[in-house]
Amino acid sequence: MAAPAAHDGTQQRVVIENCSVATVDASDTEYPSGHVVVAGNRIESVGSGPAPSGLENVVRRIDAEGHLLTPGLVNTHHHFYQWITRGLATDHNLFDWLVALYPTWARIDEPMAYAAAQGSLAVMARGGVTTAMDHHYVYPRDAGDLSGAIIRAARETGVRFTLARGSMDRGKSDGGLPPDFAVETLDGALSATEETVDTYHDASFDAMTQIAVAPCSPFSVSTELLRDAAQLARRKGVRLHTHGSETVEEEKFCHELFGMGPTDYFESTGWLGEDVWMAHCVHMNDSDIAAFARTRTGVAHCPSSNARLAAGIARVPDMLAAGVPVGLGVDGTASNESGELHTELRNALLVNRLGPHRERALNARQALRLGTYGGAEVLGRAEQIGSIEPGKLADLVLWKMDTVAHASIADPVTALVFGAAAPVALALVNGEPVVENSRLTRVDEDAIARSTRTEARRLAAIAGLTD
């Protein structure tokens, strides 16, 4: 990976000053009134008080009094296509929910995938996400270029993006949950995944698009696909992602089919390691957590979705204490209809306090770290993003904290995590604005709203959900 480029004296600078700054660096350094200087697409300096005098090529200077500056939020698990199937099967557990919705999802096509990605990305970006990911695993035959459509939507929105190219090859006739017509063949899934990596993956320091290899889950994927996918990813030098230990039903499924629990099964197929992260990990015993810590396998914690599907409470405090990398995920918006990661900061804190650690489970700064540096670590990008430090990429969010919703809370980090969703005054990705005054700068939100509604109705008609 290339080292950060030095500032050459000709790059344009953006200065943000007079605001609270939470750097989320290794020491959790904070400045009650500080500044950040951006040069090109990198953070040049951060510190207390106003920016240094005499800076050249300053094209924008922001007096951010009443605001909090943080690293951009990093989403580590999502399913964009579900944006057009929100509000369905609202009283189901995971397995029943999947069985109810797989037949509808198996009818998506390229225009649907594009519109759903636009909607998912728009709401996340408007809520402070600067790095997004999508675990897309539904590839119906003759549906068009779904991966290309999703990546195109991310590029247009302007966010940094990881596409986890998913797959399923275990249909209902083989003991899986998806209908047979919704799955790929083993060879077809592997070849299509490799083609996606070759076409789109960028390994550079400031990459805007990266690809991960991501078979869906133990109950929709054969053992052969898991093993071969792990080998493919390591041969290509990309990361691995899947769902793991989400529900008690999944644990029972693994014991019945493989004679072992999910973590032992994943380890037997080469799926533990520092290049792997798994979504949910709700039902983990001490041995499972120790295995993840030993191998530095990451976790995408999705508190809202886990509550929506009654999956349970992940042992996040125990994972963190053991040294497991943990980030936050929205999960698919058919199981988290809001689709906003900044609400997951609050929900992660509150839900985990319902567990055995109670009020000591998580605090506001730990929650912010999960949503920023923790996510960057899980995606393998902690050297580039996730904290405000010189040399890192300028992915930053300026939260407006002086409205009636937050102004009476003295500590801005507490206000951000415990309070209502804060407005995003400015979001920078690669030093470029993608949100200004809570509005997207590169795409038309109203047009996206119309297209997502149109495609949701078209899918519902095709799937027989409407009269």
Side-chain angles (χ1 to χ4, degrees):
M1 182 175 293
H7 179 58
D8 62 9
T10 63
Q11 291 174 304
Q12 294 182 333
R13 287 185 170 96
V14 174
V15 175
I16 305 171
E17 55 191 348
N18 213 15
C19 58
S20 298
V21 181
T23 68
V24 200
D25 64 9
S27 302
D28 269 333
T29 305
E30 296 182 15
Y31 302 104
S33 180
H35 71 271
V36 169
V37 177
V38 172
N41 70 343
R42 307 293 172 91
I43 298 167
E44 183 176 62
S45 67
V46 55
S48 183
S53 60
L55 293 174
E56 298 179 352
N57 301 322
V58 175
V59 296
R60 185 173 184 184
R61 186 179 293 271
I62 301 169
D63 181 351
E65 184 177 3
H67 291 69
L68 169 67
L69 187 69
T70 72
L73 301 184
V74 179
N75 183 33
T76 62
H77 186 65
H78 210 318
H79 308 295
F80 289 176
Y81 72 90
Q82 293 180 15
W83 190 262
I84 56 174
T85 60
R86 294 190 295 164
L88 303 176
T90 55
D91 301 314
H92 292 48
N93 66 28
L94 175 66
F95 275 25
D96 292 342
W97 175 82
L98 289 170
V99 170
L101 292 178
Y102 269 141
T104 298
W105 294 338
R107 291 170 170 82
I108 63 170
D109 57 22
E110 184 175 336
M112 293 176 190
Y114 175 66
Q118 284 187 307
S120 297
L121 288 158
V123 166
M124 278 192 296
R126 200 175 61 179
V129 168
T130 55
T131 297
M133 71 80 66
D134 181 29
H135 184 192
H136 188 87
Y137 53 83
V138 182
Y139 287 89
R141 297 178 185 88
D142 303 319
D145 182 8
L146 304 187
S147 294
I150 295 164
I151 290 170
R152 176 162 52 97
R155 288 176 174 172
E156 290 170 352
T157 308
V159 301
R160 212 173 295 281
F161 182 57
T162 294
L163 174 67
R165 203 293 181 182
S167 52
M168 300 186 294
D169 72 335
R170 185 191 293 276
K172 190 172 183 179
S173 64
D174 293 324
L177 290 182
D180 288 344
F181 65 83
V183 302
E184 299 176 278
T185 65
L186 171 64
D187 291 341
L190 291 169
S191 62
T193 300
E194 183 166 8
E195 181 182 1
T196 304
V197 173
D198 291 342
T199 303
Y200 294 110
H201 183 69
D202 181 357
S204 65
F205 185 90
D206 54 359
M208 291 296 291
T209 305
Q210 295 197 329
I211 306 298
V213 175
C216 183
S217 63
F219 47 83
S220 60
V221 169
S222 68
T223 300
E224 293 76 15
L225 179 53
L226 276 178
R227 286 179 176 153
D228 291 353
Q231 294 170 5
L232 167 63
R234 288 170 181 139
R235 175 165 53 85
K236 291 292 183 179
V238 299
R239 297 181 75 75
L240 287 151
H241 181 58
T242 192
H243 297 88
S245 301
E246 186 173 0
T247 65
V248 292
E249 291 85 3
E250 177 188 337
E251 186 170 5
K252 180 181 178 183
F253 179 94
C254 287
H255 276 287
E256 289 178 349
L257 204 61
F258 312 122
M260 64 187 88
T263 299
D264 290 337
Y265 175 61
F266 282 127
E267 187 157 33
S268 75
T269 56
W271 269 79
L272 294 187
E274 62 182 4
D275 56 351
V276 179
W277 85 103
M278 297 190 195
H280 304 297
C281 300
V282 174
H283 297 277
M284 302 266 283
N285 59 33
D286 290 346
S287 176
D288 297 330
I289 292 174
F292 271 55
R294 169 175 49 82
T295 58
R296 297 289 294 168
T297 303
V299 171
H301 177 44
C302 306
S304 294
S305 176
N306 293 341
R308 157 77 147 79
L309 296 172
I313 302 172
R315 296 174 59 188
V316 172
D318 296 328
M319 294 178 192
L320 294 175
V324 176
V326 182
L328 291 181
V330 168
D331 202 9
T333 50
S335 64
N336 177 4
E337 275 74 4
S338 76
E340 297 176 309
L341 191 71
H342 62 310
T343 60
E344 301 305 299
L345 302 175
R346 185 173 192 264
N347 289 344
L349 185 149
L350 297 180
V351 167
N352 280 280
R353 288 189 176 188
L354 296 174
H357 296 277
R358 301 181 67 184
E359 70 275 6
R360 298 186 182 277
L362 290 175
N363 60 39
R365 282 158 178 83
Q366 287 174 308
L368 178 59
R369 178 170 289 274
L370 289 177
T372 53
Y373 186 86
E377 191 176 23
V378 162
L379 294 185
R381 304 207 66 175
E383 293 182 10
Q384 303 111 45
I385 60 174
S387 60
I388 303 177
E389 300 180 76
K392 283 198 166 185
L393 296 169
D395 293 5
L396 304 167
V397 175
L398 190 63
W399 308 89
K400 186 172 176 58
M401 309 303 296
D402 58 0
T403 70
V404 67
H406 302 92
S408 62
I409 303 176
D411 174 37
V413 175
T414 295
L416 179 69
V417 175
F418 278 86
V424 173
L426 177 69
L428 300 178
V429 179
N430 246 14
E432 297 291 334
V434 297
V435 178
E436 295 256 15
N437 297 317
S438 298
R439 296 289 294 183
L440 300 170
T441 63
R442 300 190 175 196
V443 291
D444 185 337
E445 295 180 30
D446 297 330
I448 290 172
R450 290 191 295 271
S451 67
T452 56
R453 186 172 183 84
T454 296
E455 294 302 325
R457 287 174 167 174
R458 186 166 70 88
L459 176 59
I462 292 172
L465 300 179
T466 58
D467 295 332

